């Protein structure tokens, strides 16, 4: 069924008895042309673009639990294209363009809201760095404006401008950035993929790959063996565990990132703000909760929860930026497991195994990448060639010295 | 997390900084024929296990010793702590 105002009207007259499930719950077939492992945002987007852009008819998404239950349901919903390096910025600009047309394309309300992202600067050198970043963003027409203190004050008068140690000197404003409804993105892609014939198979954990003569033949799952011509893995957070079944060691460590939501407030914050003197970012959801987060905890973990020192650090950042939130009560906090890569950038690449492809290493920036990640991964799986904006995301880039290290922190994943 | 320091007793993990897998103690031989490949794997690839993980922590806000902590990455339970110096010596490294 196509969602529209007319459909709602028809259902109103029908007593809302005609709304069907948004996607089927099929039994797995014995084999497929394409299997995508991972029913999160990236996996579902990959399946959708395989069907839409490459006319793939026999596609399955295999999900261990339920779709959208991993990191796409655990992030802080920010979308943006404000990177510096050549390997990244064109990719994220493609993603932002796909976000801008996502709801029309999927016929699903993903609540994409381009409310603007403001990165605050607190020193002269930071302002210089943002000026440079803004120039890099303008190469891809992503839009960037450098604001001075008065410009920031006009937008957000409640910030702590005159802090003795970290006064706010201005900010880099990326108007096309914003937020989206994270679950809606997963559900929208799932529904649209299902309508194009993709089988979404939940409660189906992959327990191994069947590989012969260096070529993948299919996957072993908790629901039996399923054959496939090509298999793509998009399970960021669990990449190491899944790829170990294929005998691959990855340039990735798993870390936990915590996120926080306050009680619902009246509208106080209409955009996204990042604090430049600490690691803190904040926006307000449409339900009114302040959604914020900061650094990863910094040690290897697969537990979807973090520890208190980082909680303290994040709320201290929040208090020094926006003292007015001090009386707000926290409603929820949670953790998500990140694939932290060795240079802070992701992978969309072949593996050494013929027909087996890998998508992961998204660090804590995977949500905004969802559309382009799916688009480029589908392109790679269908054509065996990387998409032109994703050519840098290679697994062998550390061997060849072509790292994409935005932070300049080197091979130390907890610093990216 | 509380890390039971072999010399100082239980200390809060926030006093420490984290480096990563304790396999980093085993630096490859730079004179080996295959040193380039070995250093690539050493610097960039990780086992990244879900479960028991041996890892290096530095007591930066304390006695500045390096520890090898054995910890479960699924539960954060710490199973053992050793001085990295002792671990390295047992492996025949260091003085």
């Amino acid at each position: 069924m196509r969602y529209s105002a007319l459909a709602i009207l028809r259902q109103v007259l029908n007593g809302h008895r005609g709304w069907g499930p948004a996607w089927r719950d099929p039994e797995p077939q014995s084999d497929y042309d394409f299997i995508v492992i991972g029913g999160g945002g990236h996996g579902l987007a990959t399946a959708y673009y395989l069907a839409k852009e490459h006319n793939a008819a026999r596609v399955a998404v295999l999900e261990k639990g339920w779709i959208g239950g991993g990191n796409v349901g655990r992030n802080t919903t920010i979308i943006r294209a404000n990177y510096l390096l050549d390997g990244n910025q064109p990719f994220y600009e493609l993603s932002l363009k796909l976000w801008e047309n996502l709801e029309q394309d999927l016929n699903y309300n993903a609540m994409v809201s381009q409310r603007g992202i403001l990165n605050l600067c607190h020193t002269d050198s930071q302002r210089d760095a943002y000026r440079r970043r803004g120039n890099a963003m303008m190469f891809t027409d992503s839009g960037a404006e450098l604001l001075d203190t008065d410009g920031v004050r006009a937008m957000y008068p409640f910030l702590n401008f005159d802090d003795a140690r970290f006064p706010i000197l201005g900010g880099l404003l990326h108007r096309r950035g914003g937020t989206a409804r994270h679950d809606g993105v997963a559900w929208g892609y799932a529904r649209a993929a299902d309508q194009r014939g993709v089988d979404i198979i939940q409660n189906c954990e992959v327990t191994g790959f069947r590989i012969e003569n260096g070529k993948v033949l299919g996957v072993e799952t908790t629901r039996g063996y399923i054959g496939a011509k090509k298999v793509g893995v998009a399970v960021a957070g669990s990449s190491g565990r899944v790829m170990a079944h294929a005998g691959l060691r990855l340039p990735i460590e798993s870390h936990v990132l915590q996120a926080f939501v306050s009680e619902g407030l009246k509208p106080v914050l209409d955009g996204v703000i990042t604090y430049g003197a600490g690691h803190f970012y904040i926006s307000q959801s449409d339900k009114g909760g302040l959604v914020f987060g900061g650094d990863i905890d910094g040690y290897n973990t697969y537990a979807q929860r973090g520890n208190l020192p980082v909680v303290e650090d994040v709320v201290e950042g929040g208090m020094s930026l926006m003292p007015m939130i001090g009386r707000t009560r926290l409603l929820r906090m949670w953790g998500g497991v990140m694939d932290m890569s060795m240079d802070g950038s992701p992978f969309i690449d072949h593996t050494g195994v013929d027909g087996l492809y890998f998508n992961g290493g998204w660090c804590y920036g995977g949500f905004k990448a969802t559309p382009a990640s799916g688009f480029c991964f589908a392109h790679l799986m269908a054509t065996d060639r990387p998409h032109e904006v994703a050519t840098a995301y290679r697994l062998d880039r550390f061997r060849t010295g072509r790292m994409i290290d935005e932070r300049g922190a080197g091979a130390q994943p907890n610093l990216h | 997390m509380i890390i039971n320091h072999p010399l100082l007793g239980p200390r809060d993990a926030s006093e420490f900084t984290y480096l990563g897998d304790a396999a980093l103690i085993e630096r490859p031989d730079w004179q080996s024929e295959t040193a380039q490949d070995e250093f690539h794997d050493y610097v960039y690839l990780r086992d990244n296990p879900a479960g028991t993980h041996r890892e290096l922590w530095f007591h930066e806000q304390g006695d500045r010793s390096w520890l090898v902590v054995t910890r479960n990455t699924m539960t954060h339970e710490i199973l053992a702590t050793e001085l990295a110096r002792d671990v390295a010596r047992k492996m025949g490294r260091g003085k």
Side-chain angles (χ1 to χ4, degrees):
Chain A
M1 179 198 299
R2 194 174 164 74
Y3 293 156
S4 65
L6 199 63
I8 294 172
L9 191 65
R10 209 175 281 135
Q11 291 301 329
V12 167
L13 298 174
N14 187 29
H16 289 290
R17 283 188 293 266
W19 297 111
W23 52 85
R24 297 166 295 131
D25 184 21
E27 286 296 313
Q29 297 173 28
S30 62
D31 67 289
Y32 290 93
D33 289 345
F34 296 93
I35 283 180
V36 179
I37 301 172
H42 292 223
L44 292 165
T46 303
Y48 171 69
Y49 291 116
L50 274 170
K52 178 178 179 242
E53 301 292 328
H54 305 282
N55 297 316
R58 300 170 66 247
V59 183
V61 175
L62 308 185
E63 166 55 45
K64 176 175 74 170
W66 62 91
I67 60 166
N71 287 336
V72 74
R74 289 178 165 263
N75 57 77
T76 45
T77 77
I78 294 167
I79 62 175
R80 58 188 171 92
N82 56 355
Y83 282 72
L84 175 69
L85 299 179
D86 283 345
N88 276 330
Q89 180 60 11
F91 173 84
Y92 289 105
E93 172 57 26
L94 171 67
S95 207
L96 200 48
K97 283 204 176 75
L98 291 168
W99 280 115
E100 286 173 334
N101 194 38
L102 188 76
E103 291 153 320
Q104 291 71 23
D105 191 28
L106 300 182
N107 179 230
Y108 200 90
N109 183 7
M111 294 167 66
V112 175
S113 165
Q114 293 181 288
R115 52 185 70 184
I117 292 182
L118 180 63
N119 304 123
L120 297 173
C121 60
H122 308 266
T123 64
D124 289 340
S125 59
Q126 201 170 26
R127 182 169 44 207
D128 291 346
Y130 280 162
R131 187 187 297 278
R132 180 179 175 218
R133 177 180 296 263
N135 284 334
M137 289 159 64
M138 286 156 79
F139 286 146
T140 55
D141 289 329
S142 302
E145 294 165 44
L146 198 63
L147 303 184
D148 59 9
T149 308
D150 289 341
V152 175
R153 207 185 286 271
M155 289 181 76
Y156 300 116
F158 50 77
L159 296 178
N160 184 13
F161 284 89
D162 303 317
D163 185 273
R165 178 69 182 84
F166 297 114
I168 293 171
L169 300 185
L172 184 65
L173 179 61
H174 175 42
R175 288 191 193 274
R176 287 170 62 220
T179 59
R181 166 96 174 98
H182 50 10
D183 297 322
V185 175
W187 298 334
Y189 272 120
R191 175 171 167 272
D194 178 84
Q195 286 177 346
R196 289 178 181 270
V198 172
D199 282 358
I200 296 169
I201 300 163
Q202 304 182 72
N203 300 308
C204 181
E205 181 175 359
V206 170
T207 55
F209 296 96
R210 194 173 289 181
I211 297 168
E212 279 178 22
N213 301 324
K215 180 168 175 26
V216 72
L217 303 177
V219 293
E220 307 285 353
T221 77
T222 50
R223 295 176 69 170
Y225 172 77
I226 308 173
K229 293 195 177 76
K230 292 181 175 181
V231 178
V233 179
V235 296
S238 299
S239 292
R241 283 196 276 186
V242 174
M243 295 313 284
H245 294 313
L248 252 72
R249 285 177 86 213
L250 298 171
I252 287 174
E253 286 179 4
S254 296
H255 287 258
V256 64
L257 177 69
Q258 301 190 66
F260 308 82
V261 169
S262 78
E263 60 188 331
L265 306 174
K266 295 259 173 90
V268 291
L269 181 59
D270 62 359
V272 183
I273 303 178
T274 73
Y275 183 38
H279 197 166
F280 178 81
Y281 51 91
I282 187 166
S283 62
Q284 187 171 21
S285 79
D286 292 348
K287 279 195 290 191
L290 295 171
V291 183
F292 57 92
D295 273 322
I296 57 174
D297 270 41
Y299 44 81
N300 282 50
T301 176
Y302 284 91
Q304 286 178 317
R305 58 188 165 78
N307 273 298
L308 289 171
V310 169
V311 177
E312 187 178 16
D313 184 66
V314 170
V315 295
E316 278 174 358
M319 280 302 292
S320 58
L321 174 69
M322 294 171 62
M324 73 171 184
I325 66 172
R327 303 299 288 274
T328 310
R329 283 164 296 192
L330 266 181
L331 190 65
R332 292 195 307 276
M333 48 193 261
W334 65 94
V337 180
M338 313 286 122
D339 272 9
M340 294 302 296
S341 69
M342 288 289 158
D343 59 359
S345 294
F347 307 98
I348 301 176
D349 201 5
H350 303 266
T351 63
V353 179
D354 198 17
L356 180 63
Y357 305 84
F358 176 68
N359 174 325
W362 291 98
C363 299
Y364 41 81
F367 179 71
K368 65 178 162 304
T370 304
S373 168
F375 196 88
C376 295
F377 199 36
H379 187 278
L380 176 72
M381 287 178 69
T383 66
D384 268 316
R385 310 259 321 149
H387 189 275
E388 62 177 2
V389 300
T391 52
Y393 295 151
R394 296 178 57 137
L395 270 169
D396 69 353
R397 63 176 180 259
F398 304 103
R399 199 178 286 281
T400 58
R402 294 180 173 86
M403 279 81 92
I404 319 164
D405 192 345
E406 290 270 344
R407 181 80 178 267
Q412 190 58 39
N414 61 355
L415 298 183
H416 287 290
Chain B
M1 287 189 297
I2 303 289
I3 295 176
N4 194 12
H5 193 297
L7 303 177
L8 304 176
R11 310 298 310 175
D12 194 280
S14 60
E15 295 178 3
F16 293 78
T17 55
Y18 179 83
L19 183 67
D21 196 318
L24 291 169
I25 293 175
E26 291 183 81
R27 183 183 287 270
D29 175 10
W30 64 275
Q31 289 176 307
S32 152
E33 289 282 312
T34 53
Q36 194 169 342
D37 281 340
E38 287 168 28
F39 268 98
H40 167 266
D41 294 357
Y42 169 81
V43 175
Y44 295 111
L45 301 187
R46 298 287 184 270
D47 287 339
N48 194 26
T52 305
H53 188 228
R54 296 183 80 222
E55 54 203 20
L56 286 162
W57 292 75
F58 177 54
H59 199 193
E60 188 171 32
Q61 307 294 324
D63 71 345
R64 302 184 75 78
S65 59
W66 283 94
L67 303 187
V68 173
V69 176
T70 307
R71 191 176 55 93
N72 187 325
T73 59
M74 302 292 287
T75 63
H76 297 165
E77 184 192 3
I78 292 176
L79 306 166
T81 51
E82 305 155 86
L83 288 173
R85 185 181 60 191
D86 296 343
V87 174
R89 277 184 184 151
K90 261 183 244 164
M91 292 159 59
R93 306 190 74 94
K95 293 167 203 142

